[in-house]
């Protein structure tokens, strides 16, 4: 059980989350207003139907009056048609609002992730991020549209129905009110119990997503190490946790669902008894009793749905809090106020007494100082874990030094806008990431506005053009996810072409030959001489070639 302090803290968090969600609803206020108006019209149409049934029975059927029977039957048909048309609008507008809100939050969340520093990605599971951007934002959109719609619908339907019920029979009204109150308590209790279970289900779904994502990305390693059984068992264990959570939720749903059904049966029995005695006594007509029972049935769905709506709202707020936790988390590395733009650079790089550690107390770099003149090529070599690649990451400002300064053309890089700094730097990675798409699209990541002629020129310099020309679709050939259809050397050359297309003054090569065979390495090293001509270069490698 949650303590009072925890419950109060939860309410405070949910209140703050709800205020943030209102911002997205207000942004789409015309759709929200139109949807609300349609809900009110629908509630009025639904609440008037039992009255029409009452009139049909009392003034038509009981009096054997064909005219009134036909008149009220046609009236009922018109109201049904009207309510159907209005409900169509309600559903369409609700979906429009849902998708619009999901779209806005999803885009902002995606932008927020890209704004984060590299240390953020060091401490979060990719599957959790995917789950938050896709699943949680969808949950949020449906909560703020569909559940808000349901709350309006229940409120107006219940208010109008209770009014008509009271005017028909105050005595039966109080019987119905007691039954509806019991049902509301039962369903609210259900929502309180089920909420933490649904939170755990949502979290476990993210864990499952992470396990699947990791295995799909690393299936080669898994097979090479013959640890398929271990990974399958790990997935099975996490899947069993997910299964047990869902079974627990199903058990609670079954218990409270049957309890609601019991309350419904008891209330209808009481209404039939007291209503029947009133009909016999002549204080209530058969039509009014029929209408009263119709109102009771009409209100039973909102009362039974109340728990689901509250639970869904809580789940939506929980999903929103997870997404907003990302969106509200300020990046550890940000542009300073008044940071400068670099229009052009010569390419001078200086490290001045730079200290850095990924984990506090475990330094990677200790007082590193060096200067690279414009156009100079410098090789940094050393054993694995000695901090070679860290130097590149610091220069790109993926991380901040613990102390010391890094300068480009005499400017401290912390005083330069990060986009401007990185615009003048090209990187060739040890493990080039090839996106699922065409070869042309992959090269154009270096400069999305480049012409086809510039793409071909970059590919020729990177010595990948001849290979691309042999492909059936040339530059429009679609490569597999992560470039799985390409060899290591081909992926490396596409990465080089991408960097060349950017035409940077500074080029960083992060162990570009470590995954290549001797023949491909020799060819690439020779080709890099032309690529590096006129550029400042820092080359990180364990191979002296």
């Amino acid at each position: 059980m949650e303590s009072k302090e925890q419950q109060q803290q939860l309410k405070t968090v949910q209140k703050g989350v709800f205020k943030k969600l209102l911002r997205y609803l207000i942004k789409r206020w015309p759709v929200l207003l139109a949807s609300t108006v349609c809900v009110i019209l629908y509630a009025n149409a639904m609440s008037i139907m039992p009255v029409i049934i009452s009139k049909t029975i009392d003034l038509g059927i009981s009096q054997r009056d064909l005219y009134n029977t036909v008149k009220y039957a046609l009236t009922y048909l018109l109201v049904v048609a009207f309510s159907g048309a209005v409900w169509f609008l309600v559903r369409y507008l609700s979906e429009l609002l849902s998708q619009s809100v999901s779209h806005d939050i999803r885009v902002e969340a995606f932008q927020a992730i890209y704004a984060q520093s590299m240390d953020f990605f060091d401490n979060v599971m990719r599957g959790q991020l995917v789950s938050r951007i896709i699943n949680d934002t969808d949950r949020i959109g449906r909560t703020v549209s569909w559940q808000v719609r349901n709350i309006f619908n229940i409120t107006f339907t219940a208010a109008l129905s209770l009014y008509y019920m009271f005017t028909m029979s105050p005595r039966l009204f109080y019987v119905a009110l007691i039954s509806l109150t019991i049902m509301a308590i039962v369903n609210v209790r259900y929502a309180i119990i089920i909420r933490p279970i649904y939170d755990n289900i949502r979290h476990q779904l993210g864990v499952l997503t992470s396990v699947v994502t990791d295995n799909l990305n690393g299936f080669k390693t898994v097979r090479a190490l013959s640890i398929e059984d271990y990974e399958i068992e790990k997935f099975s264990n996490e899947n069993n946790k997910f299964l047990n959570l869902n079974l627990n939720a199903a058990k609670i749903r079954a218990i409270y669902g049957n309890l609601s059904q019991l309350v419904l049966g008891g209330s209808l029995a009481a209404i039939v008894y007291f209503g029947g005695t009133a009909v016999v006594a002549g204080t209530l007509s058969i039509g009014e009793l029929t209408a009263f029972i119709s109102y009771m049935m009409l209100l039973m769905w909102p009362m039974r749905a109340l728990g689901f709506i509250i639970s869904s709202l809580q789940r939506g707020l929980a999903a929103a809090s997870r997404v907003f936790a990302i969106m509200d988390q300020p990046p550890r590395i940000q542009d300073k106020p008044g940071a400068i733009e670099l229009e052009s650079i010569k390419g001078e790089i200086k490290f001045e007494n730079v200290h850095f550690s990924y984990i506090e107390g475990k330094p990677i770099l200790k007082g590193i100082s060096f200067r690279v003149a414009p156009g100079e090529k410098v090789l940094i070599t050393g054993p694995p874990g000695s901090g070679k690649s860290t130097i590149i990451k610091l220069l790109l400002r993926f991380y901040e030094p613990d102390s010391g300064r890094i300068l480009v053309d005499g400017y401290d890089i912390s005083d330069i806008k990060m986009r401007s700094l990185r615009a003048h730097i090209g990187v060739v990675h040890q493990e080039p990431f090839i996106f699922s798409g065409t070869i042309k699209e992959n090269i154009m990541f270096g400069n999305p506005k480049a012409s086809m002629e510039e793409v071909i020129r970059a590919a020729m310099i990177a010595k990948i053009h001849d290979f691309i020309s042999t492909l059936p679709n040339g530059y429009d050939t679609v490569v597999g996810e992560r470039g799985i259809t390409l060899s290591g050397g081909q992926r490396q050359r596409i990465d080089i072409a991408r960097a060349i297309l950017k035409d940077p003054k500074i080029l960083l090569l992060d162990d570009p030959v470590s995954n290549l065979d001797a023949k491909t390495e020799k060819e690439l090293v020779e080709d890099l001489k032309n690529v590096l001509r006129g550029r400042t270069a820092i080359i990180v490698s364990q191979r002296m070639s």
Side-chain angles (χ1 to χ4, degrees):
M1 291 291 290
E2 295 177 336
S3 66
K4 289 184 177 180
E5 184 178 345
Q6 288 175 321
Q7 290 176 351
Q8 186 59 42
Q9 186 178 9
L10 177 63
K11 289 179 181 178
T12 302
V13 171
Q14 288 181 340
K15 186 177 180 181
V17 170
F18 192 73
K19 285 182 178 179
K20 291 176 183 177
L21 287 176
L22 282 178
R23 176 165 62 91
Y24 295 95
L25 283 173
I26 292 171
K27 182 179 178 181
R28 306 285 180 172
W29 70 266
V31 180
L32 178 62
L33 178 61
S35 179
T36 304
V37 170
C38 289
V39 167
I40 294 172
L41 292 174
Y42 178 76
N44 274 276
M46 294 299 292
S47 62
I48 203 70
M49 287 181 185
V51 174
I52 299 173
I53 292 174
S54 174
K55 298 293 184 184
T56 305
I57 293 173
D58 291 340
L59 301 180
I61 298 172
S62 296
Q63 301 297 325
R64 298 181 184 277
D65 188 330
L66 182 61
Y67 172 77
N68 280 334
T69 301
V70 174
K71 181 180 74 172
Y72 286 114
L74 289 175
T75 303
Y76 187 86
L77 182 62
L78 288 173
V79 173
V80 168
F82 174 77
S83 65
V86 172
W87 189 245
F88 167 79
L89 290 174
V90 169
R91 291 181 65 87
Y92 175 77
L93 292 171
S94 295
E95 187 65 25
L96 177 60
L97 186 62
S98 170
Q99 294 301 326
S100 298
V101 170
S102 295
H103 168 272
D104 293 343
I105 295 177
R106 192 174 290 128
V107 169
E108 288 189 30
F110 195 70
Q111 290 173 338
I113 288 174
Y114 262 106
Q116 293 297 327
S117 309
M118 289 300 295
D119 56 346
F120 171 83
F121 299 96
D122 295 338
N123 300 308
V124 67
M125 291 189 292
R126 300 295 192 270
Q128 288 285 1
L129 288 179
V130 172
S131 180
R132 293 185 188 189
I133 293 177
I134 304 300
N135 299 329
D136 283 344
T137 52
D138 184 65
R139 167 75 62 185
I140 294 167
R142 295 194 175 279
T143 296
V144 299
S145 61
W146 291 97
Q147 301 311 329
V148 169
R149 177 207 72 185
N150 286 333
I151 289 173
F152 280 127
N153 187 23
I154 288 174
T155 302
F156 289 115
T157 301
L160 291 168
S161 297
L162 290 171
Y163 167 75
Y164 286 120
M165 292 167 78
F166 184 79
T167 58
M168 289 177 183
S169 174
R171 185 184 183 189
L172 287 181
F173 167 80
Y174 290 118
V175 173
L177 189 61
I178 292 171
S179 300
L180 292 171
T181 302
I182 293 173
M183 185 165 286
I185 292 172
V186 168
N187 283 287
V188 170
R189 175 65 179 167
Y190 161 77
I192 293 172
I193 293 174
I194 204 71
R195 177 184 58 80
I197 297 176
Y198 277 135
D199 288 345
N200 290 334
I201 288 173
R202 178 68 57 177
H203 172 75
Q204 188 61 24
L205 182 61
V207 173
L208 271 178
T209 304
S210 292
V211 173
V212 173
T213 302
D214 288 345
N215 274 271
L216 290 177
N217 289 336
F219 77 95
K220 284 185 177 179
T221 303
V222 171
R223 286 194 170 181
L225 296 174
S226 296
I227 56 173
E228 293 95 336
D229 291 341
Y230 172 79
E231 290 299 317
I232 290 171
E233 183 180 359
K234 182 169 71 173
F235 176 78
S236 179
N237 290 336
E238 297 298 341
N239 207 21
N240 284 334
K241 293 178 184 177
F242 187 67
L243 171 65
N244 291 330
L245 286 170
N246 278 284
L247 289 177
N248 192 20
K251 181 175 68 175
I252 293 173
R253 285 197 302 268
I255 292 172
Y256 279 86
N258 288 333
L259 191 57
S260 297
Q261 197 70 25
L262 182 63
V263 174
L264 172 60
S267 62
L268 286 176
I271 289 171
V272 169
Y273 172 74
F274 289 109
T277 57
V279 171
V280 172
T283 57
L284 189 71
S285 71
I286 295 176
E288 288 174 326
L289 176 59
T290 304
F292 203 96
I293 294 173
S294 297
Y295 278 122
M296 196 66 186
M297 297 301 295
L298 181 64
L299 288 176
M300 279 303 169
W301 178 84
M303 292 303 104
R304 293 186 67 183
L306 186 61
F308 292 99
I309 292 171
I310 294 173
S311 174
S312 181
L313 280 171
Q314 290 176 327
R315 290 160 67 186
L317 291 174
S321 66
R322 287 191 292 269
V323 176
F324 290 147
I326 296 174
M327 295 169 63
D328 295 340
Q329 182 173 334
R332 199 170 67 84
I333 302 175
Q334 302 183 57
D335 288 331
K336 288 182 179 179
I340 63 173
E341 291 269 4
L342 290 180
E343 296 297 331
S344 61
I345 64 170
K346 296 177 182 178
E348 181 191 40
I349 301 170
K350 287 182 69 177
F351 276 60
E352 295 182 349
N353 196 30
V354 172
H355 291 74
F356 177 75
S357 56
Y358 292 104
I359 302 172
E360 188 174 352
K362 296 183 178 180
I364 298 296
L365 301 179
K366 302 176 184 178
I368 295 295
S369 297
F370 64 87
R371 175 181 178 271
V372 184
E376 189 177 3
K377 284 71 178 168
V378 171
L379 170 69
I380 300 175
T381 188
S386 58
K388 304 186 300 298
S389 296
T390 299
I391 289 174
I392 287 179
K393 294 174 183 176
L394 290 174
L395 182 55
L396 288 165
R397 216 177 160 210
F398 287 165
Y399 299 90
E400 294 276 45
D402 297 335
S403 62
R405 295 197 308 164
I406 303 172
L407 299 96
V408 171
D409 279 13
Y411 296 102
D412 191 322
I413 62 172
S414 64
D415 295 326
I416 304 171
K417 289 183 179 179
M418 284 183 284
R419 282 178 179 264
S420 177
L421 171 69
R422 293 165 187 166
H424 296 285
I425 300 176
V427 186
V428 177
H429 301 85
Q430 177 182 356
E431 295 280 355
F433 189 92
I434 304 299
F435 294 86
S436 181
T438 66
I439 292 177
K440 179 179 71 175
E441 289 169 343
N442 270 281
I443 295 176
M444 288 184 69
F445 276 110
N447 181 5
K449 297 180 179 179
S451 65
M452 192 61 207
E453 289 74 17
E454 291 172 318
V455 171
I456 293 173
R457 177 178 171 275
M460 292 178 72
I461 295 174
K463 297 295 179 66
I464 190 67
H465 173 73
D466 291 343
F467 164 73
I468 297 172
S469 299
T470 64
L471 299 174
N473 296 319
Y475 284 84
D476 292 321
T477 300
V478 176
V479 295
E481 188 175 1
R482 301 176 70 89
I484 197 169
T485 58
L486 303 172
S487 69
Q490 290 161 353
R491 289 197 297 271
Q492 200 69 266
R493 290 182 182 278
I494 287 176
D495 200 31
I496 293 171
R498 190 186 288 167
I500 292 170
L501 192 63
K502 190 175 182 179
D503 194 24
K505 199 65 180 177
I506 297 174
L507 192 58
L508 310 178
L509 292 88
D510 187 4
D511 218 351
V513 297
S514 63
N515 295 319
L516 304 181
D517 58 67
K519 180 175 180 294
T520 307
E521 175 190 337
K522 184 177 180 181
E523 293 173 353
L524 186 61
V525 168
E526 288 299 317
D527 295 336
L528 283 175
K529 293 178 182 179
N530 293 326
V531 172
L532 297 179
R533 188 170 291 117
R535 308 178 199 272
T536 303
I538 293 181
I539 307 164
V540 168
S541 183
Q542 297 181 59
R543 300 190 185 182
M544 296 305 293
S545 59

